[in-house]
Amino acid sequence: MAYQHPRFDAVRETDPTVADLIVAEAEREAGAVRLIASENYASEAVMAATGSAFTNKYSEGYGGKRYYEGQQVVDQVEALAIDRAKALFGVEHANVQPYSGSPANLAVYLAFAEPGDTILGMSLAAGGHLTHGHKVSATGKWFDAVHYGVRKETGRIDLDDVRELAVEHRPKIIFCGGTAVPRTIDFAGFAQIADEVDALLVADIAHISGLVAGGAHPTPVGHAPVVTTTTHKSLRGPRGAMILTDADHAKAVDRAIFPGLQGGPHNHTTAAMAVALGEASTDDFRDYAAQIVTNAKALGEVLAERGLELVSGGTDNHLLLVDLTPTAIGGKPAAQALDRAGIVCNYNAVPFDSRPPFDPSGLRLGTPAITSRGMGTDEMAAIGHWIVDVVEADGDADVEARVRNEVTDLVAGFPAPGINV
């Protein structure tokens, strides 16, 4: 296959070794069914903007208040990204400079908490994120972290439990959202709890921001004064992040990002973010967001029909969490077998997992990337059956080879956006 991305010929001429690796990665992404919930295919326009001349410019500070000259154009592209983010999500303020999701969350702590303050977030084991106070994260070392989980019987968050913890511990910040939450987040319910204990509610929508933008998931805006998100997952943009706030919390967030945590923003990412936000404002993107959810539900139905157990019984969004505990097959060997078969996902802990984090009992599956390729419910049915076939085969090389061939035939009919191999 020939890789045709803009300016690739310059890479080939200058560094054939790296060029070969780029081609290999492009072919890997195009040749597999990608079910990692935090991955997607950026458009060719987003990828081109990411590799643009904005890479060359250093722009410490904010528009109109930079510490270097030559910002006439950078200020325009950052303002454009900000305006598009504000319009798309209906917020009063947007900071588009965070390098990624974790620095965005760290900025929230810097802006609104002091070391030793109590925070309340979803536990990593139940589907939360490291930066919501996990013990190995700086957020768990610097703050007194308390965690809520899910009900064992339902696999869902019980807001009564969240309220009890909040009333008992009086946190300064409450985080809602996570990395393995297959159900709709009740932002209004969390807001009521935060109001009762005078806590700041922060909605981490890194995974679902594309669904929120496309109207396929309720918005946290109006409930959470501060919203953090990455831009490269369901939003289908470059690898960056944003913090969205009301006017009252804007200044503290901006100061936390710069000069509090970061230096110059990644202007090439800002440009690509502006492109992605423009794409996300279209009717086509709304259709895409709805199809992500439709596909996830369809995939889950096949997996359940074939006997796999789904945490919470299914999904409301882009994500499925499969609990392999009843099969006695570990999530890690299952994920590795699926990778060999051309289906890329990640092993993941499930709530109340009896296995260790590096060899957990679950698989996390997501539909943003395959939906970007134009796949629909018919393809979800085929993929669901392949997943169960491979998992049940438990390392059978013949089954993996058969599925790999069938996957190759399937993806050939659905070009990978932005890859062009």
Side-chain angles (χ1 to χ4, degrees), residues 59-76:
S59 304
E60 197 172 74
Y62 290 104
K65 297 180 180 179
R66 308 283 186 179
Y67 287 79
Y68 298 80
E69 298 307 313
Q71 307 294 342
Q72 298 91 332
V73 183
V74 165
D75 282 0
Q76 291 180 63

Side-chain angles (χ1 to χ4, degrees), residues 105 174-177 187 201-206 220-221 224-229:
N105 285 347
I174 297 176
F175 271 90
C176 59
F187 297 121
L201 180 63
V202 180
D204 183 341
I205 62 168
V221 176
V226 178
V227 178
T228 64
T229 181

Side-chain angles (χ1 to χ4, degrees), residues 289-302:
Q291 189 64 49
I292 288 174
V293 178
T294 297
N295 283 350
K297 289 180 180 291
L299 179 59
E301 288 171 2
V302 174

Side-chain angles (χ1 to χ4, degrees), residues 100-301:
S100 66
S102 293
N105 285 347
L106 287 174
V108 171
Y109 291 105
L110 182 60
F112 304 111
E114 297 291 336
D117 281 348
T118 299
I119 61 170
L120 177 61
M122 192 174 195
S123 71
L124 185 67
H129 190 261
L130 284 167
T131 56
H132 298 175
H134 192 275
K135 62 183 180 181
V136 302
S137 164
T139 61
K141 296 179 183 294
W142 295 343
F143 301 96
D144 180 17
V146 180
H147 291 107
Y148 59 89
V150 296
R151 286 284 188 180
K152 192 167 188 177
E153 301 81 9
T154 64
R156 297 173 184 250
I157 298 169
D158 188 324
L159 287 182
D160 289 337
D161 292 342
V162 178
R163 180 183 178 277
E164 288 181 11
L165 288 169
V167 170
E168 177 183 356
H169 297 279
R170 314 298 294 191
K172 192 75 169 287
I173 296 174
I174 297 176
F175 271 90
C176 59
T179 64
V181 182
R183 293 299 183 176
T184 300
I185 300 169
D186 184 356
F187 297 121
F190 272 101
Q192 290 178 354
I193 295 169
D195 287 344
E196 182 176 350
V197 300
D198 195 27
L200 173 69
L201 180 63
V202 180
D204 183 341
I205 62 168
H207 266 263
I208 59 170
S209 58
L211 304 184
V212 171
H217 188 288
T219 179
V221 176
H223 303 295
V226 178
V227 178
T228 64
T229 181
T230 54
T231 53
H232 56 270
K233 299 184 176 79
S234 57
L235 195 57
R236 207 157 59 177
R239 301 193 66 84
M242 302 185 295
I243 305 178
L244 314 173
T245 74
D246 59 19
D248 291 341
H249 295 81
K251 184 176 292 186
V253 162
D254 286 353
R255 286 176 175 172
I257 289 292
F258 177 83
L261 287 175
Q262 298 183 178
H266 296 169
N267 294 316
H268 57 300
T269 299
T270 305
M273 196 180 297
V275 174
L277 291 166
E279 292 174 346
S281 67
T282 64
D283 289 339
D284 284 346
F285 191 89
R286 292 183 70 86
D287 293 341
Y288 163 70
Q291 189 64 49
I292 288 174
V293 178
T294 297
N295 283 350
K297 289 180 180 291
L299 179 59
E301 288 171 2

